PDB file of all heavy atoms in Angstrom:
ATOM      1  N   GLY Z 148     -89.305 -72.259 -80.696  1.00 96.00           N
ATOM      2  CA  GLY Z 148     -88.507 -73.412 -80.407  1.00 96.00           C
ATOM      3  C   GLY Z 148     -87.373 -73.568 -81.417  1.00 96.00           C
ATOM      4  O   GLY Z 148     -87.486 -73.312 -82.564  1.00 96.00           O
ATOM      5  N   PHE Z 149     -86.260 -74.002 -80.996  1.00 97.00           N
ATOM      6  CA  PHE Z 149     -85.091 -74.197 -81.809  1.00 97.00           C
ATOM      7  C   PHE Z 149     -85.379 -75.419 -82.785  1.00 97.00           C
ATOM      8  O   PHE Z 149     -85.819 -76.549 -82.310  1.00 97.00           O
ATOM      9  CB  PHE Z 149     -83.802 -74.441 -81.045  1.00 97.00           C
ATOM     10  CG  PHE Z 149     -83.187 -73.252 -80.343  1.00 97.00           C
ATOM     11  CD1 PHE Z 149     -83.304 -73.192 -78.950  1.00 97.00           C
ATOM     12  CD2 PHE Z 149     -82.538 -72.309 -81.127  1.00 97.00           C
ATOM     13  CE1 PHE Z 149     -82.834 -72.046 -78.391  1.00 97.00           C
ATOM     14  CE2 PHE Z 149     -82.104 -71.190 -80.531  1.00 97.00           C
ATOM     15  CZ  PHE Z 149     -82.118 -70.966 -79.131  1.00 97.00           C
ATOM     16  N   ARG Z 150     -84.978 -75.283 -83.981  1.00 97.00           N
ATOM     17  CA  ARG Z 150     -85.014 -76.430 -84.928  1.00 97.00           C
ATOM     18  C   ARG Z 150     -84.033 -77.498 -84.597  1.00 97.00           C
ATOM     19  O   ARG Z 150     -83.079 -77.142 -83.874  1.00 97.00           O
ATOM     20  CB  ARG Z 150     -84.645 -75.905 -86.338  1.00 97.00           C
ATOM     21  CG  ARG Z 150     -85.388 -74.913 -86.972  1.00 97.00           C
ATOM     22  CD  ARG Z 150     -84.685 -74.410 -88.275  1.00 97.00           C
ATOM     23  NE  ARG Z 150     -85.421 -73.383 -89.013  1.00 97.00           N
ATOM     24  CZ  ARG Z 150     -86.346 -73.761 -89.930  1.00 97.00           C
ATOM     25  NH1 ARG Z 150     -86.627 -75.002 -90.252  1.00 97.00           N
ATOM     26  NH2 ARG Z 150     -87.049 -72.934 -90.546  1.00 97.00           N
ATOM     27  N   PRO Z 151     -84.134 -78.697 -85.106  1.00 97.00           N
ATOM     28  CA  PRO Z 151     -83.126 -79.668 -85.019  1.00 97.00           C
ATOM     29  C   PRO Z 151     -81.914 -79.156 -85.542  1.00 97.00           C
ATOM     30  O   PRO Z 151     -81.864 -78.375 -86.462  1.00 97.00           O
ATOM     31  CB  PRO Z 151     -83.736 -80.850 -85.808  1.00 97.00           C
ATOM     32  CG  PRO Z 151     -85.142 -80.717 -85.837  1.00 97.00           C
ATOM     33  CD  PRO Z 151     -85.408 -79.159 -85.785  1.00 97.00           C
ATOM     34  N   LEU Z 152     -80.761 -79.429 -84.959  1.00 96.00           N
ATOM     35  CA  LEU Z 152     -79.500 -78.823 -85.206  1.00 96.00           C
ATOM     36  C   LEU Z 152     -79.107 -79.074 -86.701  1.00 96.00           C
ATOM     37  O   LEU Z 152     -78.539 -78.114 -87.331  1.00 96.00           O
ATOM     38  CB  LEU Z 152     -78.381 -79.538 -84.373  1.00 96.00           C
ATOM     39  CG  LEU Z 152     -78.409 -79.145 -82.833  1.00 96.00           C
ATOM     40  CD1 LEU Z 152     -77.292 -79.778 -82.209  1.00 96.00           C
ATOM     41  CD2 LEU Z 152     -78.493 -77.653 -82.629  1.00 96.00           C
ATOM     42  N   GLU Z 153     -79.483 -80.202 -87.290  1.00 95.00           N
ATOM     43  CA  GLU Z 153     -79.066 -80.452 -88.691  1.00 95.00           C
ATOM     44  C   GLU Z 153     -79.764 -79.540 -89.678  1.00 95.00           C
ATOM     45  O   GLU Z 153     -79.145 -79.035 -90.610  1.00 95.00           O
ATOM     46  CB  GLU Z 153     -79.414 -81.847 -89.147  1.00 95.00           C
ATOM     47  CG  GLU Z 153     -79.184 -83.067 -88.201  1.00 95.00           C
ATOM     48  CD  GLU Z 153     -80.186 -83.035 -87.027  1.00 95.00           C
ATOM     49  OE1 GLU Z 153     -81.363 -83.412 -87.363  1.00 95.00           O
ATOM     50  OE2 GLU Z 153     -79.777 -82.849 -85.863  1.00 95.00           O
ATOM     51  N   GLU Z 154     -80.968 -79.138 -89.295  1.00 96.00           N
ATOM     52  CA  GLU Z 154     -81.708 -78.236 -90.151  1.00 96.00           C
ATOM     53  C   GLU Z 154     -81.123 -76.838 -90.033  1.00 96.00           C
ATOM     54  O   GLU Z 154     -80.834 -76.207 -91.111  1.00 96.00           O
ATOM     55  CB  GLU Z 154     -83.178 -77.997 -89.618  1.00 96.00           C
ATOM     56  CG  GLU Z 154     -84.048 -79.092 -90.029  1.00 96.00           C
ATOM     57  CD  GLU Z 154     -85.540 -78.788 -89.467  1.00 96.00           C
ATOM     58  OE1 GLU Z 154     -85.947 -77.587 -89.469  1.00 96.00           O
ATOM     59  OE2 GLU Z 154     -86.204 -79.772 -89.191  1.00 96.00           O
ATOM     60  N   MET Z 155     -80.700 -76.361 -88.840  1.00 96.00           N
ATOM     61  CA  MET Z 155     -79.980 -75.109 -88.748  1.00 96.00           C
ATOM     62  C   MET Z 155     -78.672 -75.074 -89.449  1.00 96.00           C
ATOM     63  O   MET Z 155     -78.433 -74.143 -90.219  1.00 96.00           O
ATOM     64  CB  MET Z 155     -79.529 -75.023 -87.240  1.00 96.00           C
ATOM     65  CG  MET Z 155     -80.533 -74.276 -86.358  1.00 96.00           C
ATOM     66  SD  MET Z 155     -79.803 -74.199 -84.726  1.00 96.00           S
ATOM     67  CE  MET Z 155     -81.103 -74.705 -83.734  1.00 96.00           C
ATOM     68  N   GLN Z 156     -77.924 -76.072 -89.331  1.00 95.00           N
ATOM     69  CA  GLN Z 156     -76.590 -76.227 -90.017  1.00 95.00           C
ATOM     70  C   GLN Z 156     -76.884 -76.062 -91.494  1.00 95.00           C
ATOM     71  O   GLN Z 156     -76.088 -75.366 -92.192  1.00 95.00           O
ATOM     72  CB  GLN Z 156     -75.940 -77.610 -89.852  1.00 95.00           C
ATOM     73  CG  GLN Z 156     -75.114 -77.538 -88.547  1.00 95.00           C
ATOM     74  CD  GLN Z 156     -74.621 -79.001 -88.358  1.00 95.00           C
ATOM     75  OE1 GLN Z 156     -75.300 -79.897 -87.746  1.00 95.00           O
ATOM     76  NE2 GLN Z 156     -73.481 -79.373 -89.094  1.00 95.00           N
ATOM     77  N   SER Z 157     -77.873 -76.837 -92.060  1.00 95.00           N
ATOM     78  CA  SER Z 157     -77.867 -76.805 -93.534  1.00 95.00           C
ATOM     79  C   SER Z 157     -78.434 -75.466 -94.021  1.00 95.00           C
ATOM     80  O   SER Z 157     -78.015 -74.871 -95.015  1.00 95.00           O
ATOM     81  CB  SER Z 157     -78.744 -77.975 -94.071  1.00 95.00           C
ATOM     82  OG  SER Z 157     -80.040 -77.786 -93.708  1.00 95.00           O
ATOM     83  N   LEU Z 158     -79.304 -74.788 -93.251  1.00 97.00           N
ATOM     84  CA  LEU Z 158     -79.815 -73.496 -93.582  1.00 97.00           C
ATOM     85  C   LEU Z 158     -78.667 -72.477 -93.558  1.00 97.00           C
ATOM     86  O   LEU Z 158     -78.586 -71.645 -94.557  1.00 97.00           O
ATOM     87  CB  LEU Z 158     -80.986 -73.022 -92.702  1.00 97.00           C
ATOM     88  CG  LEU Z 158     -82.317 -73.632 -92.907  1.00 97.00           C
ATOM     89  CD1 LEU Z 158     -83.243 -73.496 -91.736  1.00 97.00           C
ATOM     90  CD2 LEU Z 158     -82.877 -73.264 -94.281  1.00 97.00           C
ATOM     91  N   PHE Z 159     -77.887 -72.447 -92.594  1.00 96.00           N
ATOM     92  CA  PHE Z 159     -76.821 -71.414 -92.545  1.00 96.00           C
ATOM     93  C   PHE Z 159     -75.818 -71.787 -93.654  1.00 96.00           C
ATOM     94  O   PHE Z 159     -75.296 -70.882 -94.243  1.00 96.00           O
ATOM     95  CB  PHE Z 159     -76.176 -71.429 -91.135  1.00 96.00           C
ATOM     96  CG  PHE Z 159     -76.862 -70.589 -90.167  1.00 96.00           C
ATOM     97  CD1 PHE Z 159     -77.772 -71.061 -89.161  1.00 96.00           C
ATOM     98  CD2 PHE Z 159     -76.625 -69.194 -90.161  1.00 96.00           C
ATOM     99  CE1 PHE Z 159     -78.300 -70.349 -88.283  1.00 96.00           C
ATOM    100  CE2 PHE Z 159     -77.376 -68.337 -89.217  1.00 96.00           C
ATOM    101  CZ  PHE Z 159     -78.140 -68.968 -88.251  1.00 96.00           C
ATOM    102  N   ALA Z 160     -75.554 -73.088 -93.754  1.00 95.00           N
ATOM    103  CA  ALA Z 160     -74.422 -73.354 -94.693  1.00 95.00           C
ATOM    104  C   ALA Z 160     -74.753 -73.040 -96.115  1.00 95.00           C
ATOM    105  O   ALA Z 160     -73.915 -72.587 -97.036  1.00 95.00           O
ATOM    106  CB  ALA Z 160     -74.152 -74.981 -94.644  1.00 95.00           C
ATOM    107  N   MET Z 161     -76.118 -73.035 -96.561  1.00 95.00           N
ATOM    108  CA  MET Z 161     -76.520 -72.532 -97.817  1.00 95.00           C
ATOM    109  C   MET Z 161     -75.984 -71.249 -98.351  1.00 95.00           C
ATOM    110  O   MET Z 161     -75.626 -71.158 -99.405  1.00 95.00           O
ATOM    111  CB  MET Z 161     -78.190 -72.353 -97.874  1.00 95.00           C
ATOM    112  CG  MET Z 161     -78.814 -73.649 -97.991  1.00 95.00           C
ATOM    113  SD  MET Z 161     -80.557 -73.130 -98.009  1.00 95.00           S
ATOM    114  CE  MET Z 161     -81.363 -74.716 -97.517  1.00 95.00           C
ATOM    115  N   ALA Z 162     -75.833 -70.389 -97.297  1.00 94.00           N
ATOM    116  CA  ALA Z 162     -75.445 -69.010 -97.657  1.00 94.00           C
ATOM    117  C   ALA Z 162     -73.822 -68.882 -97.853  1.00 94.00           C
ATOM    118  O   ALA Z 162     -73.362 -67.765 -98.387  1.00 94.00           O
ATOM    119  CB  ALA Z 162     -75.807 -67.977 -96.738  1.00 94.00           C
ATOM    120  N   SER Z 163     -73.139 -69.912 -97.517  1.00 93.00           N
ATOM    121  CA  SER Z 163     -71.570 -69.924 -97.600  1.00 93.00           C
ATOM    122  C   SER Z 163     -71.042 -68.653 -97.032  1.00 93.00           C
ATOM    123  O   SER Z 163     -70.304 -67.917 -97.722  1.00 93.00           O
ATOM    124  CB  SER Z 163     -71.193 -70.155 -98.992  1.00 93.00           C
ATOM    125  OG  SER Z 163     -71.799 -71.262 -99.648  1.00 93.00           O
ATOM    126  N   ILE Z 164     -71.372 -68.302 -95.795  1.00 94.00           N
ATOM    127  CA  ILE Z 164     -70.801 -67.037 -95.168  1.00 94.00           C
ATOM    128  C   ILE Z 164     -69.353 -67.288 -94.553  1.00 94.00           C
ATOM    129  O   ILE Z 164     -69.397 -68.234 -93.618  1.00 94.00           O
ATOM    130  CB  ILE Z 164     -71.810 -66.363 -94.288  1.00 94.00           C
ATOM    131  CG1 ILE Z 164     -73.146 -65.979 -95.085  1.00 94.00           C
ATOM    132  CG2 ILE Z 164     -71.153 -65.165 -93.605  1.00 94.00           C
ATOM    133  CD1 ILE Z 164     -74.278 -65.569 -94.193  1.00 94.00           C
ATOM    134  N   GLN Z 165     -68.423 -66.785 -94.930  1.00 92.00           N
ATOM    135  CA  GLN Z 165     -67.146 -67.006 -94.417  1.00 92.00           C
ATOM    136  C   GLN Z 165     -66.972 -66.932 -92.921  1.00 92.00           C
ATOM    137  O   GLN Z 165     -66.428 -67.797 -92.235  1.00 92.00           O
ATOM    138  CB  GLN Z 165     -66.025 -66.004 -95.155  1.00 92.00           C
ATOM    139  CG  GLN Z 165     -64.588 -66.513 -94.968  1.00 92.00           C
ATOM    140  CD  GLN Z 165     -64.322 -67.869 -95.366  1.00 92.00           C
ATOM    141  OE1 GLN Z 165     -64.873 -68.302 -96.378  1.00 92.00           O
ATOM    142  NE2 GLN Z 165     -63.516 -68.589 -94.684  1.00 92.00           N
ATOM    143  N   SER Z 166     -67.552 -65.845 -92.302  1.00 92.00           N
ATOM    144  CA  SER Z 166     -67.453 -65.672 -90.872  1.00 92.00           C
ATOM    145  C   SER Z 166     -68.099 -66.728 -90.134  1.00 92.00           C
ATOM    146  O   SER Z 166     -68.088 -66.727 -88.877  1.00 92.00           O
ATOM    147  CB  SER Z 166     -67.821 -64.241 -90.467  1.00 92.00           C
ATOM    148  OG  SER Z 166     -69.278 -64.199 -90.705  1.00 92.00           O
ATOM    149  N   LEU Z 167     -68.976 -67.494 -90.772  1.00 92.00           N
ATOM    150  CA  LEU Z 167     -69.652 -68.480 -90.092  1.00 92.00           C
ATOM    151  C   LEU Z 167     -69.180 -69.858 -90.180  1.00 92.00           C
ATOM    152  O   LEU Z 167     -69.671 -70.893 -89.467  1.00 92.00           O
ATOM    153  CB  LEU Z 167     -71.147 -68.658 -90.468  1.00 92.00           C
ATOM    154  CG  LEU Z 167     -72.109 -67.484 -90.109  1.00 92.00           C
ATOM    155  CD1 LEU Z 167     -73.587 -67.725 -90.586  1.00 92.00           C
ATOM    156  CD2 LEU Z 167     -72.166 -67.415 -88.549  1.00 92.00           C
ATOM    157  N   VAL Z 168     -67.995 -70.136 -90.789  1.00 92.00           N
ATOM    158  CA  VAL Z 168     -67.395 -71.450 -91.098  1.00 92.00           C
ATOM    159  C   VAL Z 168     -67.087 -72.001 -89.748  1.00 92.00           C
ATOM    160  O   VAL Z 168     -67.532 -73.173 -89.381  1.00 92.00           O
ATOM    161  CB  VAL Z 168     -66.202 -71.415 -91.912  1.00 92.00           C
ATOM    162  CG1 VAL Z 168     -65.527 -72.707 -91.978  1.00 92.00           C
ATOM    163  CG2 VAL Z 168     -66.674 -70.917 -93.412  1.00 92.00           C
ATOM    164  N   GLU Z 169     -66.408 -71.302 -88.848  1.00 93.00           N
ATOM    165  CA  GLU Z 169     -65.913 -71.824 -87.542  1.00 93.00           C
ATOM    166  C   GLU Z 169     -67.187 -72.011 -86.648  1.00 93.00           C
ATOM    167  O   GLU Z 169     -67.379 -73.111 -85.983  1.00 93.00           O
ATOM    168  CB  GLU Z 169     -64.881 -70.945 -86.831  1.00 93.00           C
ATOM    169  CG  GLU Z 169     -64.135 -71.732 -85.850  1.00 93.00           C
ATOM    170  CD  GLU Z 169     -63.324 -70.680 -84.888  1.00 93.00           C
ATOM    171  OE1 GLU Z 169     -62.962 -69.636 -85.372  1.00 93.00           O
ATOM    172  OE2 GLU Z 169     -63.100 -71.062 -83.769  1.00 93.00           O
ATOM    173  N   PRO Z 170     -67.993 -70.964 -86.432  1.00 93.00           N
ATOM    174  CA  PRO Z 170     -69.231 -71.134 -85.581  1.00 93.00           C
ATOM    175  C   PRO Z 170     -70.105 -72.388 -86.060  1.00 93.00           C
ATOM    176  O   PRO Z 170     -70.623 -72.961 -85.212  1.00 93.00           O
ATOM    177  CB  PRO Z 170     -70.101 -69.841 -85.811  1.00 93.00           C
ATOM    178  CG  PRO Z 170     -68.863 -68.825 -86.107  1.00 93.00           C
ATOM    179  CD  PRO Z 170     -67.903 -69.542 -86.868  1.00 93.00           C
ATOM    180  N   LEU Z 171     -70.206 -72.637 -87.318  1.00 94.00           N
ATOM    181  CA  LEU Z 171     -71.070 -73.788 -87.714  1.00 94.00           C
ATOM    182  C   LEU Z 171     -70.460 -75.142 -87.216  1.00 94.00           C
ATOM    183  O   LEU Z 171     -71.216 -76.007 -87.062  1.00 94.00           O
ATOM    184  CB  LEU Z 171     -71.214 -73.807 -89.231  1.00 94.00           C
ATOM    185  CG  LEU Z 171     -72.255 -72.835 -89.786  1.00 94.00           C
ATOM    186  CD1 LEU Z 171     -72.254 -72.767 -91.315  1.00 94.00           C
ATOM    187  CD2 LEU Z 171     -73.550 -73.056 -89.190  1.00 94.00           C
ATOM    188  N   GLN Z 172     -69.204 -75.090 -87.056  1.00 94.00           N
ATOM    189  CA  GLN Z 172     -68.490 -76.311 -86.457  1.00 94.00           C
ATOM    190  C   GLN Z 172     -69.013 -76.547 -84.975  1.00 94.00           C
ATOM    191  O   GLN Z 172     -69.250 -77.700 -84.663  1.00 94.00           O
ATOM    192  CB  GLN Z 172     -66.966 -76.227 -86.508  1.00 94.00           C
ATOM    193  CG  GLN Z 172     -66.250 -77.463 -86.185  1.00 94.00           C
ATOM    194  CD  GLN Z 172     -66.626 -78.667 -87.071  1.00 94.00           C
ATOM    195  OE1 GLN Z 172     -66.784 -78.546 -88.249  1.00 94.00           O
ATOM    196  NE2 GLN Z 172     -66.971 -79.785 -86.313  1.00 94.00           N
ATOM    197  N   TRP Z 173     -69.243 -75.355 -84.331  1.00 95.00           N
ATOM    198  CA  TRP Z 173     -69.746 -75.572 -82.935  1.00 95.00           C
ATOM    199  C   TRP Z 173     -71.036 -76.268 -83.015  1.00 95.00           C
ATOM    200  O   TRP Z 173     -71.439 -77.148 -82.256  1.00 95.00           O
ATOM    201  CB  TRP Z 173     -69.894 -74.201 -82.218  1.00 95.00           C
ATOM    202  CG  TRP Z 173     -68.654 -73.414 -82.131  1.00 95.00           C
ATOM    203  CD1 TRP Z 173     -67.358 -73.938 -82.168  1.00 95.00           C
ATOM    204  CD2 TRP Z 173     -68.586 -71.932 -82.127  1.00 95.00           C
ATOM    205  NE1 TRP Z 173     -66.508 -72.869 -82.172  1.00 95.00           N
ATOM    206  CE2 TRP Z 173     -67.278 -71.675 -82.141  1.00 95.00           C
ATOM    207  CE3 TRP Z 173     -69.535 -70.996 -82.131  1.00 95.00           C
ATOM    208  CZ2 TRP Z 173     -66.786 -70.341 -82.015  1.00 95.00           C
ATOM    209  CZ3 TRP Z 173     -69.069 -69.720 -82.052  1.00 95.00           C
ATOM    210  CH2 TRP Z 173     -67.730 -69.329 -82.044  1.00 95.00           C
ATOM    211  N   LEU Z 174     -72.024 -75.913 -83.997  1.00 93.00           N
ATOM    212  CA  LEU Z 174     -73.207 -76.472 -84.149  1.00 93.00           C
ATOM    213  C   LEU Z 174     -73.171 -77.937 -84.433  1.00 93.00           C
ATOM    214  O   LEU Z 174     -73.851 -78.709 -83.899  1.00 93.00           O
ATOM    215  CB  LEU Z 174     -74.067 -75.764 -85.325  1.00 93.00           C
ATOM    216  CG  LEU Z 174     -75.024 -74.712 -84.978  1.00 93.00           C
ATOM    217  CD1 LEU Z 174     -75.785 -74.415 -86.279  1.00 93.00           C
ATOM    218  CD2 LEU Z 174     -75.929 -75.009 -83.846  1.00 93.00           C
ATOM    219  N   ALA Z 175     -72.185 -78.277 -85.304  1.00 92.00           N
ATOM    220  CA  ALA Z 175     -71.936 -79.638 -85.719  1.00 92.00           C
ATOM    221  C   ALA Z 175     -71.534 -80.414 -84.473  1.00 92.00           C
ATOM    222  O   ALA Z 175     -71.867 -81.618 -84.289  1.00 92.00           O
ATOM    223  CB  ALA Z 175     -70.813 -79.793 -86.903  1.00 92.00           C
ATOM    224  N   ASP Z 176     -70.967 -79.805 -83.570  1.00 94.00           N
ATOM    225  CA  ASP Z 176     -70.485 -80.560 -82.318  1.00 94.00           C
ATOM    226  C   ASP Z 176     -71.646 -80.493 -81.227  1.00 94.00           C
ATOM    227  O   ASP Z 176     -71.471 -80.819 -80.145  1.00 94.00           O
ATOM    228  CB  ASP Z 176     -69.251 -79.834 -81.698  1.00 94.00           C
ATOM    229  CG  ASP Z 176     -67.979 -79.903 -82.532  1.00 94.00           C
ATOM    230  OD1 ASP Z 176     -68.023 -80.886 -83.462  1.00 94.00           O
ATOM    231  OD2 ASP Z 176     -67.113 -79.096 -82.382  1.00 94.00           O
TER     232      ASP Z 176
END
Side-chain angles (χ1 to χ4, degrees):
F149 287 109
R150 297 172 177 275
L152 295 180
E153 318 76 66
E154 282 182 33
M155 271 182 226
Q156 271 174 272
S157 71
L158 282 169
F159 276 101
M161 278 177 199
S163 309
I164 297 170
Q165 192 54 37
S166 66
L167 282 181
V168 171
E169 198 193 335
L171 279 177
Q172 189 54 47
W173 305 332
L174 263 193
D176 296 340

